[in-house]
Every structure is written in structure tokens, then in C-alpha cells.
Amino acid sequence: MSRLEYDGRMSLRHAALGLLTLGPASGYDLLQTFNGSLANVWPATQSQLYGELGKLAEAGLVTVTEEGARRRKEYALTDAGLAELKHWLIEVEPTAVRRSDMLLRVFFLGVVEPAQADEFLRKREAGAAEYHDSLRATEEAIAPETADLAVYGRIALEWGLRFTAMQREWAAWAQEELARTLKSQPSG
Amino acid sequence: MSRLEYDGRMSLRHAALGLLTLGPASGYDLLQTFNGSLANVWPATQSQLYGELGKLAEAGLVTVTEEGARRRKEYALTDAGLAELKHWLIEVEPTAVRRSDMLLRVFFLGVVEPAQADEFLRKREAGAAEYHDSLRATEEAIAPETADLAVYGRIALEWGLRFTAMQREWAAWAQEELARTLKSQPSG
DNA sequence: CTCCTATATGTCAGTTGTGACATGTGGAAA
DNA sequence: TTTCCACATGTCACAACTGACATATAGGAG
């Protein structure tokens, strides 16, 4: 029961706590969710998750409620764990800036030929469109059964839809902008 | 001159190489850029940058071209460095999914009171609006002097403008959606 | 001449995240 | 009954990143 320090990061920890609000689960169970519905938002590897569950138990934020077959350990949220989750949800400011290696590449596109830069942007447009369609498919698959349930899941999904739409439109615009610039100043 | 393995990540390395295409610079010089125009896209700490420059020099992707006052070392891109940069720009796929601790929180907003969830969304809306305005201010500050220059910088900036606009609109929509859901099913 | 600031580089311990490897069990199908 | 797959947990080395600390100098203001 050693103390754990929090400074606003360590979201995997809070993702695990959050999933445990839906009921007790094993590391393996949680992993399915991390590779499934949470994969787009906060992917996690097995090694990281098992390690984190150990630390969480040591800190008293979760407890082992059952030990089943195949060494299965079922974890449940404690009051302290729920309190920490709420604290993180409401009182800790979400990260404002997020690294984007895609955008970083855009900054340096002047290094390669305009044709290659254009191809880069076309790929982004296509990638965003494809991603958008896969989210749309997800939406249609889950919408019928959960009409008013899972409001927040739908709100998160909507973010994804809007984000991918924005990125597709931006990439299309950027191609036009690039063409315009090259036309007026061919040695760009 | 030991070899360095690349597997698609390690963008700080490529950010440094990219900045050096603009001309030789010291670690300190580069740091100003990382804390300035690149801060929104790929922030870096001093300790990381100096370490990376050392590795880059060891790998032969950059060379020390000058040693000035105050132990200043000026680095320049080598042919190998430029080749690596181009490879990364064109042939390495940008990361598709990016972690978002903001969106992760959204998934778990059902844990707190609807009023608190609503406040969370209002803060996102305000934060996105504020960020948008600061980018708009940046745009107006740089636009006059660079009409057709820095196409790619403007394209990256446009991404930021569209992203923050999208996030603001989404947060506003989400508040309405939440109100709608609570109205039709008060115990949500 | 002294003090302050910007310049300039570096080290260290610690956290977070990745990918590969290792190990073993329960149950169902062939 | 053997064989295979899903279940289930764990370790290891390493890469990426953070924040704090340490150190030192050139040049200008007072």
C-alpha cells in the first residue's frame, strides 16, 4: 500500500480505473477493451497493463476480488480508486498540445519535390476518408441497440467523425493551396 | 559512427534534421524553435535535444561545423542526414491513431454528475476557442511578410485553425446532445 | 568593476510506452 | 486422445520523454 504520486499524466492508470467502473475484470478482459473500443483513443500493450494493475493494487486503488482458473485475477475498483478517477476526470486539465508527426512532416515538405508533397497530401486525404468510413460503420453497428444509453461513447465517436472529416477537407484544401502557390511562383 | 536503427518513430530526430535544412544551428538555436513555432506540433526538452544531437552526430547524419564561444557547437546536415529526412518524410507512414486523454475522459464522464460533465464540455469549448484565437493572431502576425513563402507553414497553421474550430463546435454540440439525452431519460 | 542575464551544454533519475519472449492451462474439435 | 486455440499472466531490454540539477561564459548595464 505504498503511495503513488500523480502529476496529471499517467492516463493508462485512469483508463483502467474507468473500465473497472463497469464491473470487475481481469487484466485479460481489460486488454480486449484496450485493443477494441479504446484502441482509437488510448491503446495499451499487455506488458504495460499488467504492470499497471499491479501498481494500482499495491496503491489500494483496486483490489483482487477473485482468483479463477489459469491464474486469472479479477480486479475491482475501491473507493480510493473511484475517488482518484473522479479527481482526474474533473480536476486535472487534459493535455492541450499533442504531438503530431504528420503535421511535423508538413512543416518540412519543402525539402522534397512538390509532386511528392502533393502525393503526401493525397494520401492524408484518402487515409482520413477511410478512417471516417470505418468509424461510420462502427456507429451504424452500435446505434440500434443503444438508443439513449452510452451517451458519452456516442459523443466520443462524433469527435472522431468530425476530426476525420476535418482532416480530409484540410488535405483537399492543402492540395489546392499548393497548386495555387506553385502556379504563381513555380520555383516554390 | 555506429549505426542507428529506425522503425518509424523517433520524430524528434527528424524534427532536428528538418530544422537543419534551413541552415547550420546550435542545440540552443534549435531549442528556441522547439519552444517557438514547433511547440504546438512537436515540443521537446533541452535534455532530449542535446542527447539526440549527440546521437545524430555519432551516426553521421549531422556534423559539427564550428565550435564557438561558450562551448557552442554548430551542427550542419550531412548528405546522409538529408537522405534520412526525405526517407522519413515520404516513405514512412505517419502515425494514424494518437492518444487523447481528453477523449479518454469523455468515455468515462458517466461516472460524475451530469452537471460536472457539462462543465467539462464547456471548458473544452472555451479552451478550443481560445487556442483558435491565438492561432489566428499568429496567422495575422506572419501573413504580411510571407506572401507566397512558407506555404507549408501556412498549411500546417490552417490545420490548427480547422482543428480548434472543429473541437469548439463539437463541444458545443456535445452539450446540446447531453441536455437532449438527460431530458428524455433523466437518470442517464 | 561587479552583477545580472542570455547564451550554452551537459547529466541524472525516473516514468511511460513498445515489442519480443517465456510460460502455462482449460476446453473443444478432430 | 491428442492437438490446437483461446485464455491468462508475466519478464526483459530498450526507446522516448520529463524535470531537476549542475556548470560555465560573454557581454552589457549600472
Side-chain angles (χ1 to χ4, degrees):
Chain A
M1 201 78 88
S2 68
R3 83 205 146 86
L4 285 179
E5 304 285 337
Y6 301 102
D7 54 0
R9 271 173 281 358
M10 295 171 283
S11 297
L12 172 65
R13 174 164 302 165
H14 298 100
L17 293 174
L19 292 178
L20 288 176
T21 60
L22 308 174
S26 68
Y28 191 85
D29 293 338
L30 296 180
L31 203 57
Q32 311 312 309
T33 310
F34 275 104
N35 293 331
S37 58
L38 238 50
N40 299 308
V41 165
W42 204 272
T45 59
Q46 179 252 42
S47 50
Q48 216 195 336
L49 182 56
Y50 282 114
E52 202 57 52
L53 284 170
K55 286 183 207 164
L56 244 16
E58 206 190 340
L61 302 182
V62 302
T63 43
V64 177
T65 50
E66 192 189 310
E67 306 214 18
R70 295 189 204 84
R71 300 165 72 194
R72 177 193 171 89
K73 271 180 272 185
E74 208 170 64
Y75 294 93
L77 204 58
T78 64
D79 288 347
L82 183 60
E84 170 55 33
L85 177 64
K86 286 182 179 175
H87 164 71
W88 172 80
L89 272 172
I90 297 307
E91 289 165 53
V92 180
E93 279 291 294
T95 308
V97 284
R98 287 153 59 204
R99 291 185 164 88
S100 169
D101 59 312
M102 189 282 280
L103 226 47
L104 185 60
R105 282 177 174 83
V106 172
F107 265 100
F108 301 128
L109 278 180
V111 171
V112 297
E113 294 298 312
Q116 292 183 297
D118 188 71
E119 198 200 335
F120 176 89
L121 293 169
R122 276 192 287 112
K123 279 188 190 166
R124 290 324 117 223
E125 187 184 359
E130 192 188 338
Y131 202 164
H132 185 92
D133 290 346
S134 78
L135 288 176
R136 185 69 79 193
T138 303
E139 185 187 34
E140 276 159 18
I142 62 162
E145 65 231 44
T146 57
D148 275 318
L149 300 154
V151 211
Y152 299 110
R154 280 192 295 114
I155 288 175
L157 183 62
E158 178 72 16
W159 189 94
L161 288 168
R162 287 173 185 240
F163 175 76
T164 48
M166 172 248 129
Q167 184 135 304
R168 180 177 50 69
E169 287 159 24
W170 165 80
W173 170 88
Q175 287 167 68
E176 286 166 35
E177 184 70 8
L178 182 54
R180 243 194 314 279
T181 306
L182 292 174
K183 211 166 155 182
S184 69
Q185 187 180 316
S187 62
Chain B
M1 198 78 86
S2 68
R3 80 206 148 87
L4 283 180
E5 304 286 337
Y6 300 102
D7 55 359
R9 271 173 280 6
M10 293 169 285
S11 296
L12 172 65
R13 173 163 305 167
H14 299 99
L17 292 174
L19 291 178
L20 288 176
T21 61
L22 307 174
S26 69
Y28 191 86
D29 292 338
L30 296 180
L31 204 57
Q32 310 312 310
T33 310
F34 276 104
N35 294 331
S37 58
L38 239 49
N40 299 308
V41 164
W42 205 272
T45 58
Q46 178 254 41
S47 49
Q48 216 196 334
L49 182 56
Y50 281 114
E52 202 58 53
L53 283 171
K55 287 183 207 165
L56 243 18
E58 206 190 339
L61 302 182
V62 302
T63 42
V64 177
T65 50
E66 192 189 310
E67 306 214 18
R70 293 188 206 84
R71 299 165 72 195
R72 179 194 171 89
K73 271 180 273 183
E74 208 171 62
Y75 294 92
L77 202 58
T78 64
D79 289 347
L82 183 60
E84 171 54 34
L85 177 63
K86 287 183 179 174
H87 164 70
W88 172 80
L89 273 172
I90 297 308
E91 289 164 55
V92 181
E93 279 292 293
T95 307
V97 285
R98 287 154 60 203
R99 292 185 163 87
S100 169
D101 60 312
M102 190 281 280
L103 227 46
L104 185 60
R105 283 177 173 83
V106 171
F107 265 99
F108 302 128
L109 278 178
V111 171
V112 297
E113 294 299 313
Q116 292 182 297
D118 188 71
E119 198 199 336
F120 176 90
L121 293 169
R122 275 192 289 112
K123 279 189 192 166
R124 290 324 116 221
E125 187 184 358
E130 193 188 335
Y131 203 162
H132 185 92
D133 290 346
S134 79
L135 288 177
R136 184 69 78 192
T138 302
E139 185 187 36
E140 277 159 17
I142 63 162
E145 64 231 44
T146 58
D148 275 314
L149 300 154
V151 211
Y152 299 110
R154 280 192 294 116
I155 288 176
L157 182 61
E158 178 72 18
W159 189 95
L161 288 168
R162 288 173 183 238
F163 175 77
T164 48
M166 171 249 128
Q167 185 133 303
R168 180 178 50 69
E169 286 159 24
W170 164 80
W173 169 87
Q175 288 167 67
E176 287 166 35
E177 184 70 9
L178 181 54
R180 244 193 313 279
T181 307
L182 293 174
K183 209 166 159 186
S184 68
Q185 186 178 317
S187 63

